[in-house]
Amino acid sequence: MYKRYPSVQSMSAFIQAARSGSFSSAARKLDLTHSAISQQIRSLEDFIGQPLFVREGGGSNLTDAGQLFASVLSDGLAQIDRALSSVKNRSVAQRLTLDIDSELAQSWLNPRLPQLLDLLPDHEVVLLSMPRSDRSAFERVDLALRYGYGDWDDCEMTQICGDRVMAVASPELLKRHGLELPLNPAQILQLPLLGYTRRSWIPWLDAAGMPPVEPAARVVFDNAANLIAAAEAGVGAGLVRGLLAADALRSGRLVVLNEAQIAAHYNLYAVWPPGQAERVAPVVEAVKQLAENTLL
């Protein structure tokens, strides 16, 4: 329901008169006539339904209601002034709300946030991480970066990049087991293995020429970023995406165990509400550029 308020001018006139104790003094400060101040305050009293001043002799004294109103109104007008000053004659950045897959944020995007923000100088970026199962999140954000098969309904999307899956481990793990690169598939299977709830070892085993039998895992993760961190800590060998493991591989915290790799079918997509392609285009291009530089 629409709520009516008195005019800001009438409230400003009231505050000036309350502070000075004189309608004439308030008129001079606001560059108005005495009658204009009187009319503004009268309209305010009509709105409130009771007098705010008692006119006595040549001055005006606040009633109890006037004193209460003045004590509260000063802060309210100050807030209005601050709100106006915050946007007046100021260029406000375009806000973009992004839903980022948590694995992507942990393993890849967070270290690249300075680069991403440099590529979006005119935007204020809000980062969220919605649950994977919450497909309605696409309707509540400007852009989502999600892993999937590109089969989201009622959305527009583009694949950010293709990727490959490879077997990795930490140099410390190989040292503990007395192994040197490259490892043959049988040697890899003798290491403690890290499992991932959304990935089977069988496609990789098939590419490596091994029987398609799922091996036992020492520990299973539902988050690829945590799997990568465990591999870096020497817990075991695991299958990882090139994009998510790129920093660990470049720094030497992880090493690729052999040449067997498979194409990833569950890839990174940018997803946005219909009709918003132009709005999100700068972000999509920035993320694609960062991904391409990572996979070079």
Side-chain angles (χ1 to χ4, degrees):
M1 181 178 176
Y2 178 74
K3 192 171 184 178
R4 291 180 59 248
Y5 292 96
S7 69
V8 174
Q9 291 83 353
S10 66
M11 291 187 285
S12 296
F14 165 74
I15 284 295
Q16 288 297 334
R19 289 172 177 170
S20 63
S22 165
F23 285 18
S24 297
S25 178
R28 287 193 296 272
K29 288 183 178 181
L30 295 175
D31 195 24
L32 296 171
T33 64
H34 184 283
S35 62
I37 293 292
S38 297
Q39 184 177 354
Q40 294 278 13
I41 292 175
R42 190 176 304 112
S43 69
L44 188 59
E45 290 175 325
D46 290 341
F47 183 91
I48 293 172
Q50 58 180 310
L52 299 173
F53 288 96
V54 176
R55 284 74 170 176
E56 296 178 341
S60 300
N61 297 319
L62 289 169
T63 63
D64 290 343
Q67 290 177 352
L68 176 61
F69 188 45
S71 66
V72 177
L73 182 60
S74 294
D75 289 340
L77 290 177
Q79 286 184 314
I80 292 174
D81 186 60
R82 287 194 295 271
L84 291 171
S85 298
S86 68
V87 296
K88 188 176 181 180
N89 299 323
R90 175 184 171 187
S91 177
V92 179
Q94 181 180 7
R95 171 173 286 197
L96 282 171
T97 302
L98 310 182
D99 169 29
I100 310 298
D101 181 275
S102 60
E103 297 176 345
L104 182 74
Q106 288 174 258
S107 294
W108 181 76
L109 185 61
N110 287 345
R112 291 167 177 78
L113 273 180
Q115 296 168 262
L116 178 63
L117 296 178
D118 285 345
L119 292 171
L120 301 169
D122 300 323
H123 294 78
E124 177 187 86
V125 180
V126 179
L127 299 180
L128 307 175
S129 288
M130 304 283 195
R132 277 198 179 107
S133 59
D134 186 4
R135 294 199 171 197
S136 67
F138 299 147
E139 302 171 2
R140 306 196 300 271
V141 299
D142 296 304
L143 180 76
L145 295 177
R146 294 277 190 104
Y147 276 101
Y149 297 106
D151 58 352
W152 294 285
D153 296 327
D154 302 322
C155 299
E156 297 178 19
M157 68 197 75
T158 185
Q159 185 175 314
I160 293 297
C161 62
D163 210 342
R164 302 194 69 79
V165 175
M166 61 202 74
V168 302
S170 70
E172 290 74 16
L173 180 69
L174 301 185
K175 184 177 180 181
R176 289 204 310 269
H177 287 263
L179 298 172
E180 294 184 358
L181 296 175
L183 274 60
N184 64 52
Q187 288 176 307
I188 294 174
L189 292 180
Q190 292 303 310
L191 293 170
L193 298 181
L194 307 179
Y196 180 49
T197 55
R198 283 178 286 275
R199 180 177 298 129
S200 168
W201 276 82
I202 290 177
W204 182 88
L205 291 173
D206 186 56
M210 297 292 286
V213 178
E214 190 71 29
R218 183 70 180 85
V219 59
V220 179
F221 296 88
D222 71 348
N223 181 293
N226 292 338
L227 185 152
I228 291 170
E232 291 181 38
V235 176
L239 295 176
V240 300
R241 298 175 180 278
L243 185 69
L244 299 187
D247 292 343
L249 290 169
R250 283 203 179 97
S251 68
R253 303 192 304 273
L254 291 177
V255 292
V256 179
L257 299 181
N258 68 10
E259 295 182 355
Q261 298 184 10
I262 56 173
H265 300 293
Y266 194 75
N267 281 304
L268 179 61
Y269 285 81
V271 187
W272 60 88
Q276 296 298 311
E278 184 175 351
R279 174 176 171 78
V280 302
V283 189
V284 173
E285 291 307 311
V287 174
K288 281 187 175 181
Q289 181 177 331
L290 293 175
E292 289 169 2
N293 292 340
T294 300
L295 294 173
L296 287 177

